[in-house]
Amino acid sequence: MELTNELVLEAISREFPEAVVDSSTPHGLLTIELKKEEIKKVIHYLKESSYEFIFLTDICGIHYPDDKEKEFGVIYHLHSLINNFRLRLKAFIPKKNAELESITNLYSGANWMERETFDFYGIKFKGHPDMRPILNMEDLGYHPMLKEYRLEDGSRTDKNDAMFGR
């Protein structure tokens, strides 16, 4: 059986009728936005089903500070090696109580990816075995990828902005 975007989307919609919020196919890659409460169930289904999404390529965070209901997002990239099919899943959460369920019990590689997402964005993963910073110092005190910090150090005098098109 050859997997197609339509087939995978239809299967997820059938198995989890309330889970899908939106879907699109940018550059041909099926991208599905799911309710945060359903994301782990859908990932578990995709891994254990005949579609065999056995490889977790990546987990990353995103920050949209102007959208208070969907301020944080977590993106999962899954790959069915057997079917040579890639899939992107997204779940959005508000900044207050920014937490999703950990999928470390489904993919052991999620351990470091979830820690990195926590480290850079402050998104917690409930049930994670070791939720602490992985790349930043533990006493850093902030999450550097949030879009609430200036892009550049305003105190620098050694830069000529004309060289950077400004």
Side-chain angles (χ1 to χ4, degrees), residues 39 43 58-59 74-77 87-89 100 103 125:
I39 190 82
I43 291 172
D58 190 29
I59 299 173
V74 177
I75 303 171
Y76 301 84
H77 288 98
L87 173 65
R88 178 187 301 136
L89 302 174
L100 289 173
I103 62 166
F125 293 88

Side-chain angles (χ1 to χ4, degrees), residues 102-105 107-108 110-112 114-115 125-132:
S102 174
I103 62 166
T104 54
N105 62 328
Y107 299 99
S108 58
N111 189 322
W112 283 52
E114 289 178 354
R115 284 180 64 187
F125 293 88
K126 190 167 84 177
H128 191 282
D130 189 14
M131 186 64 23
R132 63 188 165 97

Side-chain angles (χ1 to χ4, degrees), residues 133-146:
I134 193 167
L135 296 170
N136 294 321
M137 298 176 296
E138 289 198 37
D139 61 347
L140 184 63
Y142 66 96
H143 303 284
M145 293 297 286
L146 298 181

Side-chain angles (χ1 to χ4, degrees), residues 38-97:
E38 304 289 330
I39 190 82
K40 184 174 183 175
K41 295 175 203 168
V42 172
I43 291 172
H44 183 260
Y45 165 76
L46 290 167
K47 183 180 182 192
E48 300 299 324
S49 71
S50 61
Y51 305 131
E52 300 184 66
F53 283 93
I54 60 171
F55 186 70
L56 174 67
T57 307
D58 190 29
I59 299 173
C60 59
I62 50 176
H63 183 215
Y64 295 121
D66 297 331
D67 188 346
K68 296 306 176 194
E69 290 301 310
K70 293 182 172 184
E71 186 165 356
F72 287 113
V74 177
I75 303 171
Y76 301 84
H77 288 98
L78 303 176
H79 189 179
S80 174
L81 300 168
I82 302 296
N83 297 296
N84 192 27
F85 189 87
R86 295 178 186 272
L87 173 65
R88 178 187 301 136
L89 302 174
K90 295 180 180 182
F92 288 95
I93 47 181
K95 185 174 185 175
K96 186 178 180 183
N97 301 323

